[in-house]
Amino acid sequence: MTKQTVLEHFEKTVSNAKERLTKLIESAEKYGLDGFMAGLATAVEVLEDEEIEKLETMFQMQKRIR
């Protein structure tokens, strides 16, 4: 088994969080928890924005090293 890079670990962590949030959204929808569902949808959006921002930062840092 090979050791994960920081980027691979980050991507897996974000992916797992998105999956969990998606399941929570589905459950909230099932039970009519519209406000809770909207909050979770916002959390997914924030997570995606953070993912992009962190990836951009990592790529900029890598460029500086070269």
Side-chain angles (χ1 to χ4, degrees):
M1 181 180 277
T2 60
K3 186 176 179 182
Q4 282 186 331
T5 65
V6 172
L7 182 58
E8 289 170 335
H9 176 72
F10 174 73
E11 289 173 343
K12 184 176 180 180
T13 301
V14 169
S15 178
N16 289 341
K18 283 187 199 178
E19 286 176 26
R20 288 187 202 136
L21 286 169
T22 300
K23 288 178 184 177
L24 284 171
I25 290 169
E26 290 169 358
S27 294
E29 186 175 32
K30 179 179 176 181
Y31 296 106
L33 303 172
D34 295 333
F36 186 63
M37 188 173 62
L40 292 171
T42 301
V44 170
E45 290 176 17
V46 168
L47 188 60
E48 288 172 345
D49 289 345
E50 283 290 318
E51 179 180 21
I52 292 168
E53 184 179 317
K54 289 199 185 298
L55 288 173
E56 287 175 350
T57 301
M58 281 190 238
F59 291 136
Q60 290 171 2
M61 291 170 72
Q62 285 178 339
K63 283 181 183 178
R64 288 186 210 136
I65 292 172
R66 294 181 189 173

